[in-house]
Amino acid sequence: MCGIVGYTGSRQALPLVLEGLRRLEYRGYDSAGIAVLDGAGGLKIAKKAGVLANLDGHLGSGSLALAGRAGIGHTRWATHGGPTDRNAHPHTGGSGKVAVVHNGIIENFAALRADLESAGTRMRSDTDTEVVAHLLAAAYRDGPTAGDLPACMAAVCRKLEGAFTLVAAHADVPSVLVAARRNSPLVVGVGEGEMFVASDVSAFIAHTRDAIELGQDQLVVITPDSAEITSFAAAEPDFKRFRVDWDVAAAEKGGFSTFMEKEIFEQPVAVERTLLGHFDGSGVVLDEQRLGVRELRTVDKVYVVACGTAYHSGLVAKYAIEHWTRLPVEVELASEFRYRDPVLGRDTLVVAISQSGETADTLEAVRYARRQRARVLAVCNTNGSQIPRESDAVLYTRAGPEVGVAATKTFLAQVTANYLVGLALAQARGTKSRGEVAWEYAALSRMPEAVAATLTVMGPVRDLARELAHSPAVLFLGRHVGYPVALEGALKLKELAYMHAEGFAAGELKHGPIALIENGLPVVVTMPSPKSRPILHSKMLSNIREIQARGARTIVVAEEFDDTVAPFADYLIELPRVPALFQPLVAAIPMQIIAAEIARSRGYDIDKPRNLAKSVTVE
Ligand code: M6R
């Protein structure tokens, strides 16, 4: 939700922390702040509401005042307290010698705050974080472990409930930073004579690719030459060392004007890399698959749980998995799943899809499923994040880092990974022969080419999108796998262009939503293939006629050489012909382009849509 970074080493901390914040800004952009230890017992702070550029502007030529070789920084997505200067992190405690940055929510902060206030502490912000700063300052000053920052941090963490990654700096120990985590991510970057801590590796990838991922309830003390990990709870520390397998170029815009645009163009590679190594000549193999063939064979029901775009990828999975395996598949919004008493058992497979691997709703759904003894398979883009850590097995989508808040390449990678899950299940259960699985996999392997071909014909779609920029609303229709594509098209438009948009199953239109159609309303329709889905195709043609008769402006996404559709399309977008189940991999692309281009025409920042953050670590 928020991005945090810390540095200690031989270089000036300020530029390194600011650079880290720039790469983490996708996590929140309500405010940014930094604290630097000057090495002479001083702690300097600068913070500003709004995007990081505001802090940069505020620092201006005054940045010399923040000289020092250790520092912490924060980029915020507001939860407790509005997005103001005073609520921006870092927060200080005591006499201002300790500074804290925080990602997450301290659920018992109100009680802790009341205790502090009744003991005479004057609060300077409305945040939950400030409570931690005061508790830490008090523990350091005169608690049982006074003067021992790591021990004080551990003691404070034991009092906290909820989700937190915390990094603290104290003016008395100028080259030491102490960080801790529970239910929120924290990685250490191990450099040569320097150390980093951050919410994710992109913050330090330009300086080191050697990293350590902290486990639950752990605390790390970094100095320029060491990283010492302990647990602040009863458990043994279970951290993991790893080497990041992508480089700084992947976290840069690479010549594109926005990350989203770059990520749209990375989609062929995202699909290709997600497939890579998952077929060994005789069948589909899944990595980190701690579920054996025997367990897959006994599965009698599949639940897919996810949020937002990941949920839409799960809806696509339903069509493929049911078709290939004959298993019943239910797709649930993760935020609803555990509140409605779903029927789960040992033979239920729960597929939890999450780009970030830290979405709180999905994580809680995973925990719920495991408590009910279901087996959980995570489909995730972030190596070692919490959701895969808590699942029985993981299939990584290898889309690389996605910085744009709107999911694009990770949607295609999730859809691809879900097909692999379906094929692995079909293979284990024998509902598809090895030959059939090989055939489907071969067809899937040709999809990167189709995705690349689709991207080459998007020029006119951009022109169309600019024309749509002044429409009051846009509707999206689909049938079969085109339905999740419609939902995804509407979500992209809402989050990027702040425009009213709805996705509907086309057959449902006549049951109410058709009343929305009025003269000139743009309706984007994804057509099923006339060859492989002739019945659905003709029903869809009827739906188009119905809305055209009521004045809709029809924008039809159809496969190339579908001659029947042209008379009903006010605007036709032609896509390469692909197997029917795989159509979302190409049909989602015009939806992304339309949303991005409308947003751009309306003057919005498409990488940082308002009110949003890339990962949602609160329920
Ligand atoms: O990291 P996750 O895949 O779990 O995130 C789920 C949703 O928050 C995410 O897909 C969100 O809907 C995107 N911003 C949509 O573009």
Side-chain angles (χ1 to χ4, degrees):
M1 190 102 311
C2 304
I4 57 179
V5 59
Y7 170 83
T8 177
S10 54
R11 296 191 272 171
Q12 283 299 316
L14 180 68
L16 293 166
V17 173
L18 284 175
E19 180 196 346
L21 291 182
R22 186 171 59 79
R23 292 193 204 285
L24 294 181
E25 208 184 1
Y26 70 87
R27 300 179 68 87
Y29 29 87
D30 286 333
S31 66
I34 185 161
V36 176
L37 293 161
D38 67 8
L43 176 77
K44 304 275 163 44
I45 292 188
K47 49 192 192 173
K48 207 73 201 146
V51 293
L52 182 61
N54 294 1
L55 175 66
D56 267 335
H58 170 67
L59 286 170
S61 54
S63 56
L64 274 181
L66 270 82
R69 298 181 199 284
I72 60 178
H74 187 267
T75 175
R76 179 169 187 242
W77 188 82
T79 55
H80 293 65
T84 58
D85 286 356
R86 104 192 189 99
N87 288 330
H89 300 212
H91 290 284
T92 55
S95 55
K97 284 181 116 186
V98 62
V100 171
V101 290
H102 167 220
N103 170 32
I105 288 185
I106 312 289
E107 283 169 3
N108 57 336
F109 97 100
L112 295 170
R113 183 180 172 118
D115 288 350
L116 283 164
E117 283 176 329
S118 59
T121 305
R122 200 174 56 81
M123 293 288 166
R124 293 180 285 257
S125 77
D126 315 310
T127 65
D128 49 346
T129 309
E130 192 187 344
V131 162
V132 179
H134 289 296
L135 289 174
L136 191 56
Y140 190 86
R141 195 180 51 238
D142 48 30
T145 54
D148 180 344
L149 190 62
C152 294
M153 180 72 132
V156 170
C157 286
R158 286 192 287 271
K159 291 187 184 159
L160 306 179
E161 288 165 17
F164 51 86
T165 301
L166 296 160
V167 187
H170 198 295
D172 288 356
V173 278
S175 58
V176 176
L177 298 180
V178 181
R181 76 165 288 261
R182 170 183 287 162
N183 291 335
S184 264
L186 176 62
V187 279
V188 178
V190 182
E192 290 279 321
E194 58 186 8
M195 293 282 167
F196 298 81
V197 283
S199 306
D200 106 33
V201 294
S202 59
F204 52 72
I205 190 72
H207 307 287
T208 179
R209 288 164 73 178
D210 291 321
I212 307 170
E213 171 212 312
L214 263 70
Q216 187 72 329
D217 288 354
Q218 284 175 23
L219 183 144
V220 63
V221 184
I222 60 165
T223 69
D225 302 306
S226 64
E228 200 179 314
I229 298 169
T230 52
S231 175
F232 60 79
E236 280 293 297
D238 67 336
F239 56 90
K240 189 169 123 194
R241 286 177 194 280
F242 63 102
R243 191 161 164 79
V244 184
D245 62 0
W246 45 272
D247 60 17
V248 70
E252 295 288 354
K253 287 185 193 153
F256 288 89
S257 59
T258 61
F259 281 109
M260 182 181 173
E261 191 72 14
K262 172 184 163 246
E263 287 153 6
I264 286 174
F265 277 87
E266 286 173 342
Q267 294 187 109
V269 179
V271 173
E272 191 180 340
R273 291 191 62 201
T274 298
L275 289 172
L276 210 70
H278 287 307
F279 192 78
D280 68 0
S282 65
V284 167
V285 282
L286 303 183
D287 55 2
E288 296 204 31
Q289 166 66 299
R290 297 183 293 270
L291 294 176
V293 170
R294 195 153 9 113
E295 279 132 330
L296 289 183
R297 216 172 268 152
T298 59
V299 168
D300 61 10
K301 176 158 190 174
V302 178
Y303 273 103
V304 180
V305 290
C307 305
T309 289
Y311 169 76
H312 297 154
S313 86
L315 290 173
V316 177
K318 177 180 169 77
Y319 292 90
I321 299 176
E322 287 187 339
H323 177 68
W324 287 330
T325 68
R326 311 309 303 137
L327 281 169
V329 180
E330 281 193 42
V331 189
E332 290 262 347
L333 290 168
S335 52
E336 291 291 321
F337 183 64
R338 73 195 175 107
Y339 297 109
R340 65 155 191 86
D341 207 6
V343 183
L344 307 174
R346 194 71 195 130
D347 295 330
T348 311
L349 178 68
V350 173
V351 181
I353 309 170
S354 174
Q355 182 286 128
S356 59
E358 55 177 297
T359 298
D361 290 320
T362 312
L363 179 59
E364 289 304 331
V366 166
R367 289 175 175 164
Y368 177 86
R370 296 204 69 202
R371 282 198 297 276
Q372 307 297 310
R373 298 178 58 245
R375 295 185 171 99
V376 179
L377 167 64
V379 170
C380 184
N381 197 47
T382 310
N383 213 297
S385 52
Q386 198 63 22
I387 289 172
R389 285 175 74 94
E390 297 199 20
S391 300
D392 296 295
V394 54
L395 174 58
Y396 281 112
T397 50
R398 302 196 200 102
E402 187 175 70
V403 178
V405 165
T408 52
K409 63 175 178 173
T410 56
F411 174 67
L412 263 64
Q414 284 163 350
V415 169
T416 305
N418 297 344
Y419 293 140
L420 288 174
V421 173
L423 290 176
L425 274 168
Q427 181 178 284
R429 296 170 54 76
T431 48
K432 287 274 164 208
S433 70
R434 287 205 175 269
E436 286 168 321
V437 169
W439 189 92
E440 296 287 359
Y441 183 84
L444 204 44
S445 305
R446 289 190 290 275
M447 288 307 295
E449 228 174 282
V451 173
T454 306
L455 287 167
T456 63
V457 297
M458 287 298 110
V461 179
R462 289 177 198 278
D463 299 336
L464 164 75
R466 284 190 282 274
E467 280 176 43
L468 302 180
H470 302 293
S471 300
V474 179
L475 301 187
F476 293 81
L477 302 184
R479 279 178 179 262
H480 194 256
V481 288
Y483 170 46
V485 170
L487 295 177
E488 177 60 6
L491 174 62
K492 288 283 96 84
L493 196 55
K494 280 184 259 208
E495 72 175 331
L496 292 171
Y498 321 147
M499 210 162 154
H500 181 70
E502 292 293 335
F504 297 108
E508 189 62 16
L509 209 65
K510 57 188 174 294
H511 300 290
I514 199 163
L516 292 169
I517 306 287
E518 56 186 37
N519 230 6
L521 182 80
V523 183
V524 181
V525 184
T526 300
M527 286 298 292
S529 162
K531 286 244 156 39
S532 46
R533 293 279 184 271
I535 298 172
L536 280 183
H537 183 272
S538 72
K539 292 200 187 307
M540 196 61 144
L541 278 184
S542 308
N543 296 143
I544 300 181
R545 283 193 199 99
E546 288 153 16
I547 57 170
Q548 223 177 19
R550 288 160 177 84
R553 181 176 182 197
T554 57
I555 297 153
V556 181
V557 179
E559 77 177 28
E560 56 192 350
F561 314 120
D562 178 353
D563 303 328
T564 51
V565 87
F568 308 104
D570 294 318
Y571 190 93
L572 182 61
I573 300 172
E574 289 186 293
L575 302 178
R577 180 177 292 167
V578 299
L581 274 174
F582 301 159
Q583 191 200 31
L585 292 176
V586 289
I589 295 171
M591 311 298 156
Q592 300 165 348
I593 300 281
I594 288 171
E597 215 49 55
I598 293 181
R600 209 195 303 266
S601 305
R602 293 179 147 211
Y604 302 141
D605 182 342
I606 67 168
D607 280 341
K608 299 191 206 94
R610 73 181 176 203
N611 303 336
L612 294 176
K614 183 76 182 158
S615 20
V616 185
T617 54
V618 290
E619 277 190 80

